[in-house]
Amino acid sequence: MAKEKILVIGASGQIGVELTLALRKIYGNANVVASDLREENELLRGSGPYVSLDVMNKEMLHVQVIRQNITQIYLLAAILSATGEKNPNLAWHLNMQGLLNVLDIAREEKLQKVFWPSSIAVFGPTSPRKDCPQRTIIEPITVYGISKYAGEFWCNYFYGRYGADVRSIRYPGLISYKSSPGGGTTDYAVEIFTEALENGHYTCFLQEDTYLPMMYMPDAIRATIELMEAPAAKITVRTSYNVSGLSFSPREISEEIKKHIPDFTIVYAPDYRQAIANSWPQSIDDSVARQDWGWRNEYDLSRMTADMLENLQEANNLPVR
Ligand code: NAD
Ligand code: AKB
């Protein structure tokens, strides 16, 4: 294990911060290099090496990989669904070229492993709405979903053609308290907690009965690390694995929050993100991940809600309402 040297690209983002910290615990602080286009997230400061890096600059990336003796890359830099619809060309460019740069360098430098996340956004209105299976009709309607679906097949291609050990998960919407989400359709499920604690009220940009697949960040980090540590022979999916955690609607999560903050109120003002949410499945069938590498989620809605509220209160020094 000590021989691994990991580069996390997009380390200052919602997943990057927690994944970098978790990887540093396993591999040692000095062996996990955090990198991002934006400044180092304050939660990472002092915990290990950080380099400023643009994944679109292939030469700069290549130099860093050689200079730092990198053996694994976790590529998290991307533009998410809601922001992607505001600038489709930019989203396609970053999401595709960033991945191709990493895959090319992984092949040239014979890196041991690459992790690249896909999303439930690959699915579209023609996919099954409930318990959406690993293999099914996939016709995404967002540029983000299109880029993720194309990316899945680039990962599969580099594995099949060059033997590159690229692994991937179709994350659901992720809920976390350490760093903020970066422009997705599922972001409401994080905002609702901070607004409930700070103002006792939330105006939700999705309708009350919009069910979406979600997951608490500790489960997502564990899924990522378990997939990356699984023996290669167990990985039968080289596009991207479905993983499932929770499925709830804005009304259900608001009812759960009310158990802790009885005077919490919510109103609904759906915007352009409603159409994106309507195109995605409500829940995911992850039986292939369960079978292949033993995936099991741990958090349910009530445990996650209690943990989120407790940690947000503590982290932000907020009064107990
Ligand atoms: P985020 O927006 O919070 O973080 C992305 C990070 O990438 C940011 O810190 C950003 O500064 C950085 N970045 C952007 N352009 C860059 C560039 N050119 N070079 C280097 N860094 C750059 O996103 P996230 O939520 O942490 O998502 C990480 C990955 O997981 C993405 O691929 C996303 O599609 C995927 N994913 C996330 C979720 C979720 O709910 N958060 C769900 C499904 C899939
Ligand atoms: C988004 O809403 O864009 C992300 C995702 C599900 O990929 N959270």
Side-chain angles (χ1 to χ4, degrees):
M1 250 187 205
K3 288 210 179 74
E4 299 298 346
K5 190 85 188 279
I6 296 172
L7 177 65
V8 182
I9 303 172
S12 290
Q14 189 193 8
I15 302 173
V17 169
E18 300 208 34
L19 189 56
T20 301
L21 294 172
L23 290 169
R24 282 181 175 162
K25 267 195 188 148
I26 299 171
Y27 294 96
N29 288 351
N31 295 320
V32 180
V33 181
S35 72
D36 204 294
L37 197 55
R38 59 174 148 154
E39 62 178 16
E40 185 178 20
N41 185 291
E42 58 180 17
L43 295 174
L44 295 179
R45 266 183 219 139
S47 75
Y50 176 82
V51 291
S52 176
L53 189 150
D54 181 353
V55 73
M56 301 299 277
N57 185 335
K58 191 172 172 188
E59 285 71 38
M60 188 166 95
L61 175 61
H62 205 155
V63 166
Q64 284 295 345
V65 167
I66 293 170
R67 189 183 289 164
Q68 309 259 7
N69 294 314
I70 296 299
T71 62
Q72 296 188 18
I73 295 180
Y74 286 66
L75 170 58
L76 304 173
I79 291 179
L80 279 74
S81 60
T83 309
E85 291 311 294
K86 291 183 183 154
N87 194 339
N89 284 334
L90 182 67
W92 174 258
H93 192 51
L94 172 65
N95 295 1
M96 280 296 89
Q97 198 56 52
L99 174 60
L100 288 174
N101 288 350
V102 166
L103 291 176
D104 270 345
I105 291 168
R107 174 174 61 88
E108 285 166 34
E109 298 306 323
K110 299 189 171 41
L111 298 192
Q112 289 181 14
K113 283 179 209 163
V114 172
F115 176 79
W116 171 83
S118 182
S119 162
I120 52 111
V122 292
F123 298 117
T126 49
S127 306
R129 300 276 288 152
K130 297 217 167 115
D131 296 331
C132 190
Q134 177 70 45
R135 292 182 179 86
T136 186
I137 298 172
I138 295 190
E139 297 178 331
I141 61 159
T142 60
V143 68
Y144 174 66
I146 298 169
S147 73
K148 288 296 183 188
Y149 198 38
E152 289 189 5
F153 281 91
W154 275 115
C155 295
N156 192 51
Y157 181 82
F158 268 73
Y159 172 72
R161 172 131 192 218
Y162 307 115
D165 191 350
V166 191
R167 303 182 184 196
S168 178
I169 282 176
R170 289 173 180 154
Y171 289 130
L174 300 182
I175 298 158
S176 63
Y177 58 86
K178 286 194 183 159
S179 51
S180 309
T185 304
T186 59
D187 293 9
Y188 92 84
V190 179
E191 290 171 11
I192 195 170
F193 284 103
T194 46
E195 292 294 313
L197 284 168
E198 284 171 16
N199 306 316
H201 180 75
Y202 180 56
T203 302
C204 184
F205 58 76
L206 296 182
Q207 282 162 355
E208 61 179 332
D209 54 354
T210 311
Y211 281 82
L212 286 172
M214 301 279 188
M215 185 176 280
Y216 197 31
M217 191 61 89
D219 270 348
I221 299 297
R222 192 170 47 77
T224 308
I225 290 170
E226 285 178 7
L227 171 67
M228 289 299 275
E229 289 187 345
K234 296 221 176 240
I235 310 299
T236 66
V237 175
R238 287 295 179 168
T239 49
S240 189
Y241 277 101
N242 279 10
V243 291
S244 174
L246 312 165
S247 169
F248 57 78
S249 65
R251 186 174 42 77
E252 276 186 3
I253 195 171
S254 68
E255 292 302 326
E256 199 57 44
I257 291 172
K258 274 186 203 164
K259 291 182 188 166
H260 302 262
I261 308 173
D263 59 351
F264 171 62
T265 54
I266 182 165
V267 293
Y268 301 93
D271 65 14
Y272 71 100
R273 289 168 279 195
Q274 185 66 48
I276 301 176
N278 287 349
S279 77
W280 292 347
Q282 299 182 333
S283 59
I284 297 292
D285 172 10
D286 60 1
S287 47
V288 180
R290 287 172 181 265
Q291 163 109 19
D292 282 5
W293 43 278
W295 163 244
R296 301 280 180 277
N297 64 300
E298 282 178 1
Y299 282 85
D300 61 16
L301 181 58
S302 91
R303 190 171 160 213
M304 178 196 75
T305 303
D307 203 62
M308 274 294 282
L309 290 170
E310 191 185 320
N311 280 292
L312 277 172
Q313 252 160 356
E314 211 176 281
N316 301 313
N317 242 337
L318 293 167
V320 181
R321 291 184 67 90

